[in-house]
Amino acid sequence: YAFFSGRPRWSRSIPITLTYAFSPENVITSLSKSEIKDAFRRAFSHWASVIPVTFLESKDYGFADIKIGFYKGDHGDGEPFDGVLGVLAHAFSPETGRFHLDAAETWAVDFDRKKSDEAIDLESVATHEIGHLLGLAHTSVQEAVMFPSLRPREKKVDLKIDDIKGIQALYGSNPNFNDQARSESDTSISNG
Amino acid sequence: RTSPFFSSKPTNPTNNHKIRSYTWHEFGKFVDATRGNNINGISELKKYFHRFGYLKMDNLNFTDLFDDHLEHALIKYQEKLGLSVTGKLDENTVSQIISPRCGVSDSAPKFMHAKRH
């Protein structure tokens, strides 16, 4: 695992509560609002299960800690999106909270329903970008959520040991996190 | 956007679907390119490596020469992403390069702090 330069993290005292909200203007219509919200709720829950951080959805976009939006092309932060595939999304390091997804992608929450060869799993990308919002940079571990690339129709939502060790180095462990169960789970996966 | 590059060597079951990267599909033609050659369009690959933190250059007028800088960036990229470190544009490396990815730089990035625009 790796951190951003200077190892930034949300500095409020633990346990931390962060609010998130969706931009009312920068949206996509290929998925329903509830599908999008459910995917993000699951993505936040992956991280919340391992660190003492709680994520609450807010309707107040202006005051939310994490601001989520779907944007096309140049959207004003100096990192324009590039259309289908290529760059899928980006997020800012703590404590900025900006989370931008490329509106041009074929976002999917269910590959059985979305048959496109270019379909990108929204929950997987959301889980990865939340890692950035919390302070993790890209890892070299290919199986980890924080590996920089994600292929179309690939689903990668379960945090691996590398992700967990990294994020717990920043925030400590969630008191309810069962380290041993997670390790055994990872082992059984790697053993096929 | 007329001739997307198709990855020919899927590395896991989720890769059975052919990968099209409209943004970087041109990089497919660089497979097996070697240092010392002048290759039309390889400056775009240098821009890619610069963008994602592998090529540090003050002069951003990238040339189409496969030079030492590009080879060094390639090695750093292969090391970082757990690929075989060959310093060459082998198929696995090019396939990884054209894969869709996160826009955040790979090298302890700073740019994703807030900027004013």
Side-chain angles (χ1 to χ4, degrees):
Chain A
Y1 56 87
F3 304 116
F4 288 96
S5 181
R7 204 173 154 153
R9 51 153 276 190
W10 292 82
S11 58
R12 34 191 105 162
S13 57
I14 288 173
I16 295 171
T17 297
L18 297 175
T19 58
Y20 66 93
F22 297 90
S23 165
E25 292 151 6
N26 301 290
V27 297
I28 54 169
T29 54
S30 57
L31 294 172
S32 70
K33 278 185 185 174
S34 64
E35 285 175 319
I36 293 170
K37 288 186 175 187
D38 286 348
F40 274 87
R41 196 175 301 122
R42 291 192 299 272
F44 280 114
S45 73
H46 296 306
W47 294 103
S49 69
V50 300
I51 53 173
V53 178
T54 302
F55 300 96
L56 294 177
E57 188 185 343
S58 165
K59 288 197 164 78
D60 192 341
Y61 181 74
F63 281 96
D65 298 308
I66 296 170
K67 296 176 168 66
I68 303 165
F70 292 85
Y71 299 87
K72 271 193 172 172
D74 186 352
H75 51 285
D77 63 6
E79 294 295 327
F81 285 130
D82 52 10
V84 179
L85 302 181
V87 169
L88 306 173
H90 56 227
F92 289 65
S93 53
E95 300 176 63
T96 309
R98 291 186 210 162
F99 183 157
H100 300 165
L101 300 105
D102 189 346
E105 305 302 342
T106 309
W107 293 108
V109 293
D110 179 355
F111 288 139
D112 289 335
R113 281 175 40 217
K114 194 81 83 176
K115 301 292 186 188
S116 169
D117 280 348
E118 295 157 354
I120 298 290
D121 183 54
L122 180 61
E123 183 183 343
S124 298
V125 173
T127 307
H128 175 97
E129 299 302 333
I130 292 164
H132 288 318
L133 293 166
L134 291 170
L136 288 181
H138 288 146
T139 181
S140 303
V141 178
Q142 289 199 6
E143 302 75 28
V145 160
M146 293 314 295
F147 192 72
S149 66
L150 181 79
R151 297 184 183 236
R153 306 194 68 80
E154 182 179 7
K155 197 169 173 76
K156 194 195 275 185
V157 298
D158 294 325
L159 301 184
K160 296 292 185 259
I161 294 295
D162 183 73
D163 303 305
I164 294 167
K165 281 185 175 173
I167 204 65
Q168 289 185 340
L170 288 175
Y171 297 96
S173 176
N174 184 317
N176 297 320
F177 171 66
N178 186 338
D179 192 18
Q180 193 173 357
R182 188 68 66 122
S183 300
E184 286 168 0
S185 168
D186 263 12
T187 305
S188 65
I189 288 167
S190 64
N191 286 344
Chain B
R1 297 195 170 189
T2 52
S3 57
F5 173 76
F6 294 100
S7 172
S8 58
K9 284 192 173 176
T11 54
N12 69 47
T14 60
N15 298 339
N16 290 335
H17 290 264
K18 294 170 181 173
I19 295 167
R20 292 177 237 198
S21 172
Y22 295 124
T23 307
W24 302 312
H25 74 276
E26 289 285 342
F27 295 168
K29 69 185 181 189
F30 300 143
V31 171
D32 294 335
T34 53
R35 184 161 60 95
N37 291 345
N38 228 316
I39 301 154
N40 190 27
I42 211 162
S43 56
E44 292 300 316
L45 182 58
K46 291 182 179 176
K47 286 181 191 168
Y48 175 99
F49 281 132
H50 180 263
R51 172 175 184 179
F52 292 115
Y54 296 96
L55 190 54
K56 304 270 191 285
M57 290 177 75
D58 296 330
N59 178 6
L60 299 183
N61 292 322
F62 298 114
T63 68
D64 279 338
L65 178 65
F66 192 143
D67 53 18
D68 290 346
H69 296 296
L70 179 56
E71 186 182 59
H72 185 61
L74 195 49
I75 289 169
K76 283 203 292 185
Y77 179 82
Q78 290 169 331
E79 286 173 346
K80 172 72 181 179
L81 296 200
L83 299 163
S84 297
V85 181
T86 61
K88 294 185 167 63
L89 282 164
D90 52 70
E91 276 196 40
N92 277 344
T93 302
V94 174
S95 177
Q96 182 65 58
I97 289 170
I98 66 171
S99 292
R101 57 162 292 152
C102 171
V104 176
S105 173
D106 293 342
S107 63
K110 294 177 183 172
F111 92 94
M112 280 300 172
H113 289 294
K115 291 193 289 191
R116 291 190 185 278
H117 289 276

